[in-house]
């Protein structure tokens, strides 16, 4: 019996609910759709946990990350009964369900905000951050929205600005007000009481801001750009609009709430912080978030050196007893198949599933679905509409199940799907991949099965091994993993039996990597 808690040895699969399976024919995925595909997740793939992006009542200004009622299911996605059934069916298959928790902001259509904006002396006025304009009528400070433009929206009725770090329809909650804390934690407890196994915390480090709302200084020199173009946002040092030390108290409270439940509940925070010490501070004394998501592989150069440096730095930054996590793709970043190149997809899969820590696999990456180009004028994503080039629609296209109409995502009767399918869906889909022993999906299946059977891959320490240029090699217990980031043959200093190669043939050899090959060797 493993002495590790379930979340340390699991593999998380992220579902963007609009895009996984549509059962009604309206072109948008729904909760019964996810339930209908659980056998794929549990048996065909064999992942341990599912994280579902928001499905709460929402005007969908940011496709659900604008929550109008934290304890509801949006009718677009189904009903609370559908949710309960999904949860039961997930548990019946021995899997865990992680839901998205969005504490930084609610929708401007949340009843709390409607009250708050109704008058300056409404009891909920202080549940959000309201400030007078400067004497010239401009916003109270220089904070910029993560989606570009001012982070303040002027409200004509009451003559003040409210803070909105994303779209103007996402109003930042004022967590310094104890009533907000109490109400938000009560809404979180609603789901924990229902039996959800964990939460993914949206923009976890944004929640607490500088109480004095001081201006952010400009970046000195060249701004460090993210994988996406954030435009104006990247021109500032975000010293005051996020990352305030008071976040730590909040996550200790959240952890205490999670820890009051049995069996163990889990939290993973969306923490896009480049400074490793600050990033690691969200583990606290192992009394805050169980895991901060580690996104460093998303922006590192895709080379043996670039990736190994990130892994080594992450391993060194994590506090004693802390557990790593790795992400290669999600609903905010361009698809990995397009970023790293199709030929590198097999080693990307092996990397993700053999490093120490919790891997999160984004739906469709197991097929290598490419980024779908969506012209700026057709973007639905608010970020893409505000800032051409930053659009996220291209990584949110419908899941590709088979070669039937709409790739099996929507019923035949559907006129269209909410976003177009990626171009190659007729060949790149689950049904076709299952039939092809060389497919990426079958490699993921082999890797996931191997990981489930290997205590070393689940829990052993990580140690980088010396290897020739172009190869990233590491030890996990008795196993050696070697990955070829190049299109050339690389001779290796290793011996032993190859347990698994990304090439599904009998030619794999511990002493040599073929182009783009990855191997797991029992050393
Ligand atoms: C992070 C989410 O991943 C992203 O999709 C969303 O737009 C912002 N947070 C705002 O909630």
């Amino acid at each position: 019996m493993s002495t590790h808690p379930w979340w340390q040895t699991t593999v998380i699969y992220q579902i963007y609910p609009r895009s996984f399976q549509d059962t009604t024919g309206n072109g948008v995925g729904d909760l019964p759709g996810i339930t209908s595909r659980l056998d794929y997740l549990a048996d065909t793939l064999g992942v341990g946990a599912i994280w579902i992006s928001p499905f709460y009542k929402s005007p969908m200004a940011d496709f659900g990350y604008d929550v109008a009622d934290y304890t509801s299911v949006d009718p677009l996605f189904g009903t609370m009964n559908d949710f309960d059934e999904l949860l039961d069916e997930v548990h019946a298959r021995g899997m865990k369900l992680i839901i998205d928790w969005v504490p930084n902001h609610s929708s401007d259509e949340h009843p709390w905000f409607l009250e708050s904006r109704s008058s300056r002396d409404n009891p909920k006025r202080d549940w959000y951050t309201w400030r007078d304009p400067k004497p010239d009528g401009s916003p109270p400070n220089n904070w910029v929205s993560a989606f570009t433009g001012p982070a303040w929206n002027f409200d004509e009725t009451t003559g003040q600005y409210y803070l909105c770090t994303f779209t103007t329809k996402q109003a930042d909650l004022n967590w310094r007000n104890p009533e907000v804390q109490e109400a938000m934690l009560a809404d979180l407890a609603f789901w924990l009481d229902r039996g959800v196994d964990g939460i993914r915390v949206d923009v976890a480090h944004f929640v607490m801001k500088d109480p004095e709302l001081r201006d952010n200084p400009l970046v000195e020199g060249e701004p460090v750009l993210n994988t996406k173009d954030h435009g104006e946002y990247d021109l500032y040092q975000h010293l005051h609009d996020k990352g305030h030390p008071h976040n730590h108290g909040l996550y200790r409270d959240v952890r205490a709430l999670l820890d009051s439940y049995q069996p163990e509940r889990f939290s993973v925070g969306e923490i896009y912080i480049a400074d490793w010490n600050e990033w690691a501070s969200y583990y606290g004394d192992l009394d805050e978030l169980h895991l901060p998501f580690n996104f460093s592989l998303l922006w590192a150069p895709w080379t043996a050196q670039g990736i190994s440096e990130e892994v080594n730095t992450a391993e060194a930054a994590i506090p004693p007893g802390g557990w790593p996590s790795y992400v290669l793709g999600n609903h905010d970043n361009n698809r990995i198949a397009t970023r790293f190149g199709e030929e590198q997809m097999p080693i990307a899969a092996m990397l993700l599933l053999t490093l120490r820590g919790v891997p999160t696999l984004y739906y469709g990456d197991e097929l290598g679905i490419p980024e779908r180009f969506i012209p700026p004028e057709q973007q639905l994503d608010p970020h893409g509409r505000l800032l051409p080039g930053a659009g996220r629609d291209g990584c949110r296209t419908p899941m590709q199940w088979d070669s039937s109409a709409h790739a099996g995502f929507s019923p035949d009767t559907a006129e269209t799907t909410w976003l177009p399918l990626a171009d190659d869906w007729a060949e790149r889909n689950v049904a076709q991949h299952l039939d092809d022993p060389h497919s990426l999906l079958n490699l993921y299946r082999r890797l996931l099965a191997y990981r489930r059977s290997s205590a070393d891959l689940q829990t052993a320490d990580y140690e980088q091994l010396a290897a020739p240029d172009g190869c990233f090699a590491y030890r996990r217990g008795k196993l050696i993993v070697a990955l070829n980031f190049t299109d050339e043959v690389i001779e290796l200093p290793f011996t032993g039996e190859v347990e698994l190669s990304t090439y599904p043939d009998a030619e794999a050899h511990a002493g040599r990597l073929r182009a783009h090959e990855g191997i797991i060797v029992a050393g």
Side-chain angles (χ1 to χ4, degrees), residues 90-339:
V90 166
H91 286 164
R93 287 165 180 78
M95 293 190 292
K96 305 287 185 185
L97 188 64
I98 298 166
I99 59 167
D100 222 300
W101 187 51
V102 188
N104 181 68
H105 45 266
S106 76
S107 164
D108 68 340
E109 295 183 29
H110 193 296
W112 298 341
F113 187 77
L114 295 179
E115 276 195 56
S116 182
R117 88 181 313 171
S118 65
S119 76
R120 287 195 184 206
D121 52 14
N122 183 279
K124 290 209 169 48
R125 184 66 170 180
D126 184 49
W127 281 41
Y128 295 84
T129 302
W130 292 96
R131 288 292 182 279
D132 286 334
K134 284 186 176 163
D136 66 357
S138 63
N141 67 18
N142 72 352
W143 294 358
V144 171
S145 150
F147 289 166
T148 220
W152 296 94
N153 194 35
F154 189 66
D155 179 57
E156 297 287 346
T157 320
T158 57
Q160 285 191 310
Y161 282 94
Y162 65 87
L163 181 63
C164 45
T165 301
F166 292 89
T167 67
T168 55
K169 287 192 62 65
Q170 290 159 295
D172 285 38
L173 283 153
N174 174 19
W175 273 82
R176 295 187 181 279
N177 181 327
E179 290 176 11
V180 169
Q181 300 194 14
E182 201 184 313
M184 284 296 286
L185 293 186
D187 282 1
L188 174 54
F190 169 89
W191 294 103
L192 299 171
D193 291 342
R194 275 196 124 70
V196 306
D197 302 288
I199 54 169
R200 174 266 189 189
V201 184
D202 190 62
V203 289
H205 57 304
F206 280 58
V207 177
M208 291 294 194
K209 285 103 179 157
D210 175 30
E212 293 169 43
L213 307 182
R214 280 171 289 183
D215 278 355
N216 282 323
L218 282 165
V219 166
E220 290 159 18
E222 274 297 292
V224 182
L225 294 179
N226 217 320
T227 47
K228 282 277 186 186
D229 178 7
H230 283 75
E232 216 183 338
Y233 191 76
D234 287 341
L235 300 179
Y236 290 90
Q237 298 180 51
H238 292 276
L239 299 187
H240 301 307
D241 55 350
K242 60 183 177 188
H244 193 276
H246 289 160
N247 279 320
H248 297 295
L250 161 62
Y251 292 115
R252 282 193 292 274
D253 290 347
V254 170
R255 182 62 175 265
L257 176 65
L258 295 172
D259 286 351
S260 69
Y261 285 83
Q262 281 297 330
E264 179 156 11
R265 308 300 161 96
F266 160 75
S267 57
V268 56
E270 186 196 23
I271 309 257
Y272 276 101
I273 295 180
D275 180 287
W276 284 99
N277 288 332
E278 201 190 330
W279 171 82
S281 71
Y282 285 86
Y283 287 95
D285 291 327
L286 305 189
D287 58 353
E288 296 185 27
L289 295 168
H290 293 78
L291 296 179
F293 267 137
N294 171 1
F295 298 115
S296 65
L297 302 186
L298 284 170
W299 55 61
W302 186 255
T303 60
Q305 195 183 339
I307 295 299
S308 61
E309 276 173 13
E310 297 300 334
V311 173
N312 294 335
T313 316
E315 282 276 348
I318 293 165
W323 203 248
S325 82
Y326 291 98
V327 174
L328 287 182
N330 63 25
H331 64 292
D332 293 329
N333 288 281
N334 289 347
R335 284 278 186 186
I336 52 172
T338 304
R339 275 188 290 128

Side-chain angles (χ1 to χ4, degrees), residues 33-50:
I34 299 173
T35 308
S36 74
R37 294 295 187 179
L38 288 179
D39 288 340
Y40 169 74
L41 300 170
D43 303 333
T44 310
L45 273 180
V47 295
I50 304 165

